[in-house]
Amino acid sequence: MKTYKIAVIPGDGIGTEVVDAGVEALKALAARDGTFAFHFDHFDWGGEYYKKHGRMMPENGRDAIRHHDAILFGSAGHPDIPDHITLWGLRLAICQPFDQYANVRPTRILPGVVSPLRGVSGPELDWVIVRENSEGEYAGVGGRVHQGLPEEAATDVSIMTRAGVTRIMRFAFRLAQGRPRKLLTVVTKSNAQRHAMVMWDEIASEVAREFPDVTWDKMLVDAMTMRMTLKPQTLDTIVASNLHADILSDLAAALAGSLGIAPTANLNPERVFPSMFEPIHGSAFDIMGKGVANPVGTFWSAVMMLEHLGEKAAAARLMKAVERVTADPALHTPDLGGTANTRKVTDAVIGSIAAENA
Ligand code: IPM
Ligand code: MG
């Protein structure tokens, strides 16, 4: 029997609560399926670890997880620690060296969930956002001089490389090709940003020639926010730079009903390094410890993890269980306007996994 080694990094805030729920669901799936198992290794990295050790993860932390089959991540972010330290010290410290350059963010309006868009339901909003996850505005290049003085200067330099743009375009075109509509929208801002974004557009056209069966178009990021809101049914697969996709994916999550349901996969498509799966929502310290966090974002991320591991049947089973649960308003957490708690939703998903006829 195949045993998958999963590195579990709950992180901060509600990360622990939702990741515990995710692990329970994965255990239930393995038990139900009987053909594979999980071995979970837990790592207490994050804000509390930082308070004790002065860093978010140990110096050799990546070596401890390098050979795992996948990483299940909660969230990084702590009210006592600046956000750029928690981000660069943990999440980006894993994503970038592990070359998880393709960040995939599916968005759908799940059954029972109401979109804030008038008259828009399931079939009209079914997107996958592909976020460039290794460079661009998150390259970390820049500096500050003359700190605190009137002449202080600071830069954050966005770096785009031909190799980086080409591989994310190929990934996005391939993903679009595998979806029924074979439709890709390339998000850009090449009117104002006249160097790297112009190269971005050129490489999109070049890669498009490798995928003649994919219909594609180009959209300026500002206009894209309007199109997502007013004509959601005209979109399918979307590719955007690191920062553009960061912003658009929050909009997408809100339009699909809640940030609490949105999943992410940070993929190293070549599988040289493990890929990492996490809910999009942050650490949400305001609701931490109350047991009301929505575990659906983590469940859906676990679905993406199972797909990546090649366990398609288990992935489909978990997604079905999630959809059954969202379809019942009595099982909605407060972010969806309900009163259910994490425990109740998790029990319902596990019950559905166990009960379902294979
Ligand atoms: C995301 C998040 C992160 C990002 C935050 C937590 C730094 O918003 O995954 O979208 O900006 O990448
Ligand atoms: Mg974001």
Side-chain angles (χ1 to χ4, degrees):
M1 183 157 63
K2 171 84 190 154
T3 298
Y4 298 108
K5 265 181 80 181
I6 309 297
V8 181
I9 309 174
D12 304 318
I14 60 168
T16 319
E17 300 166 38
V18 293
V19 162
D20 281 352
V23 167
E24 277 189 57
L26 287 168
K27 282 182 180 161
L29 279 163
R32 173 73 178 72
D33 194 286
T35 62
F36 65 91
F38 291 110
H39 173 87
F40 295 101
D41 286 318
H42 290 258
F43 298 89
D44 62 348
W45 304 340
E48 294 305 323
Y49 186 95
Y50 180 91
K51 285 183 165 174
K52 271 186 245 141
H53 305 279
R55 45 187 308 144
M56 294 289 288
M57 65 191 273
E59 202 170 345
N60 60 354
R62 276 189 304 274
D63 293 335
I65 58 176
R66 185 180 302 271
H67 299 294
H68 282 72
D69 293 300
I71 305 162
L72 184 63
F73 189 85
S75 68
H78 195 288
D80 304 339
I81 308 169
D83 286 338
H84 65 274
I85 290 182
T86 52
L87 175 66
W88 282 94
L90 189 57
R91 193 169 159 276
L92 292 184
I94 295 172
C95 283
Q96 295 197 348
F98 280 178
D99 213 14
Q100 295 165 349
Y101 64 83
N103 182 285
V104 181
R105 303 186 159 189
T107 310
R108 277 195 290 129
I109 303 174
L110 296 184
V113 176
V114 181
S115 167
L117 293 177
R118 204 176 337 118
V120 172
S121 63
E124 285 107 0
L125 198 161
D126 183 354
W127 305 330
V128 184
I129 298 180
V130 176
R131 172 179 180 182
E132 201 297 315
N133 211 33
S134 69
E135 53 178 32
E137 308 87 346
Y138 283 59
V141 175
R144 276 175 83 173
V145 288
H146 311 310
Q147 282 199 36
L149 299 176
E151 54 273 25
E152 180 168 1
T155 58
D156 273 303
V157 181
S158 169
I159 304 284
M160 290 199 180
T161 63
R162 175 162 283 277
V165 177
T166 304
R167 67 184 184 175
I168 200 64
M169 288 298 168
R170 281 214 177 101
F171 182 91
F173 271 95
R174 199 168 295 130
L175 197 132
Q177 193 177 44
R179 287 171 54 88
R181 294 174 71 191
K182 299 190 194 302
L183 181 65
L184 178 70
T185 299
V186 176
V187 175
T188 185
K189 191 65 197 175
S190 51
N191 54 349
Q193 298 188 296
R194 59 194 180 142
H195 306 293
M197 291 298 339
V198 173
M199 180 181 79
W200 168 270
D201 291 4
E202 282 171 16
I203 294 174
S205 313
E206 286 165 25
V207 171
R209 283 184 225 123
E210 300 168 20
F211 298 88
D213 55 335
V214 174
T215 308
W216 73 287
D217 62 1
K218 221 166 55 182
M219 201 76 212
L220 294 170
V221 65
D222 47 350
M224 184 67 173
T225 61
M226 291 210 291
R227 181 161 163 199
M228 287 168 71
T229 312
L230 301 177
K231 293 185 180 155
Q233 63 288 344
T234 67
L235 295 162
D236 186 78
T237 309
I238 297 160
V239 63
S241 73
N242 215 328
L243 182 62
H244 289 167
D246 173 44
I247 298 164
L248 295 180
S249 60
D250 265 29
L251 174 60
L255 297 180
S258 169
L259 195 55
I261 5 190
T264 305
N266 299 282
L267 300 179
N268 173 245
E270 290 73 27
R271 295 172 188 258
V272 175
F273 299 101
S275 294
M276 181 159 79
F277 302 83
E278 54 167 347
I280 288 192
H281 64 70
S283 47
F285 267 77
D286 53 328
I287 58 162
M288 167 187 156
K290 296 186 179 154
V292 297
N294 192 346
V296 167
T298 304
F299 294 148
W300 197 346
S301 303
V303 169
M304 299 183 83
M305 186 177 101
L306 289 161
E307 281 166 356
H308 181 75
L309 294 172
E311 295 297 341
K312 306 272 187 247
R317 181 172 290 135
L318 179 54
M319 199 64 218
K320 208 155 126 199
V322 165
E323 291 183 358
R324 279 206 194 123
V325 162
T326 60
D328 181 355
L331 294 171
H332 285 185
T333 42
D335 57 298
L336 289 171
T339 56
N341 58 22
T342 315
R343 184 72 264 155
K344 195 169 168 188
V345 178
T346 307
D347 285 344
V349 163
I350 289 171
S352 175
I353 290 167
E356 192 205 326
N357 300 322

